[in-house]
Amino acid sequence: MSRIAIFASGSGSNFQAIVDATKAGTLQAKVSLLVCDKQEAKVVDRAKKASIPSFVATPQSFHSKSLYEEAILEKLQEHQVEWIILAGYMRLIGETLLRAYEGKIVNIHPSLLPAFQGKDAIGQALQAGVKETGVTVHFVDEGMDTGPIIAKEQVHIDEQETHESLQKKIQAVEHVLYPKTIQALLTGGNHT
Ligand code: GAR
């Protein structure tokens, strides 16, 4: 069974959806490690509850980004992690991890990329007044929310849409699309 690490910075609802899918057997993978860059993030409690080991460290406590990533890399190797799954990890992945996990790092983003990259993609879509937005799963490269696209799903923006209601709709899509796409990737099958 493939061993995956999830990187997250916040609430961790996608972390939870992935863990739940492994428990249900729809995702045949082992979540071996949580990597989190915020001590107080809710995702840390979720990992504890699910008895998943976590590595929680702020980059600021290291002299450089590469030293921070080397510390992460050591943990990933200790847990024999094969794939890195970014789920609301609000940081750019640097050279150290990109080199060590080339082609094995994926991210989910709450827009139809390349539209609305970076922070608050949901707010950006509302601000732009578009009628369709969505979710994208993609391979990670050195850019922010760039890299080859693996899967996309549209979400319609209604007339009365608020940030909260759109976030709810987008996350509901994410929680199904992400585990499904990861499963397809791990088994080398077709994915849309
Ligand atoms: C998710 O909606 C994810 O798409 C987004 O952060 C949220 C994390 O929610 N990621 C990005 O914006 C990446 N640029 P969660 O902590 O509840 O999973």
Side-chain angles (χ1 to χ4, degrees):
M1 202 181 293
S2 298
R3 299 171 68 89
I4 65 178
I6 300 174
F7 285 35
S9 305
S11 150
S13 70
N14 280 284
F15 170 89
Q16 193 67 56
I18 294 166
V19 168
D20 291 348
T22 64
K23 285 188 182 150
T26 49
L27 171 56
Q28 284 145 341
K30 180 175 166 60
V31 181
S32 302
L33 186 68
L34 164 72
V35 173
C36 180
D37 59 342
K38 292 217 172 83
Q39 303 284 353
E40 72 286 359
K42 187 172 165 194
V43 69
V44 178
D45 293 331
R46 292 186 192 266
K48 230 177 257 168
K49 277 199 188 108
S51 305
I52 292 167
S54 56
F55 177 69
V56 186
T58 57
Q60 291 79 5
S61 53
F62 292 84
H63 286 299
S64 69
K65 179 158 179 159
S66 60
L67 284 174
Y68 167 64
E69 289 203 339
E70 271 165 33
I72 293 175
L73 188 54
E74 205 171 288
K75 285 284 166 193
L76 294 172
Q77 287 166 347
E78 190 183 301
H79 290 274
Q80 299 167 308
V81 167
E82 296 157 83
W83 287 83
I84 295 176
I85 308 298
L86 307 184
Y89 182 69
M90 301 313 247
R91 257 172 220 292
L92 281 180
I93 298 293
E95 247 182 65
T96 306
L97 288 175
L98 281 173
R99 233 186 283 126
Y101 281 87
E102 202 187 341
K104 293 285 178 91
I105 310 178
V106 294
N107 181 42
I108 191 160
H109 185 74
S111 77
L112 297 174
L113 288 172
F116 313 127
Q117 292 156 325
K119 282 192 179 151
D120 193 19
I122 293 171
Q124 290 184 53
L126 287 171
Q127 191 72 33
V130 293
K131 292 279 160 270
E132 300 291 336
T133 185
V135 175
T136 305
V137 180
H138 64 97
F139 286 109
V140 171
D141 61 14
E142 62 287 346
M144 187 185 296
D145 303 316
T146 55
I149 288 169
I150 307 166
K152 266 188 191 182
E153 192 166 323
Q154 280 201 352
V155 174
H156 183 72
I157 301 180
D158 294 319
E159 287 289 323
Q160 304 302 321
E161 206 76 76
T162 63
H163 194 286
E164 198 186 340
S165 66
L166 184 55
Q167 182 170 10
K168 227 182 207 170
K169 276 158 64 174
I170 284 196
Q171 292 219 323
V173 169
E174 290 187 336
H175 298 163
V176 177
L177 183 68
Y178 212 11
K180 190 174 94 181
T181 307
I182 296 165
Q183 172 66 11
L185 265 182
L186 299 186
T187 55
N190 288 331
H191 33 78
T192 52

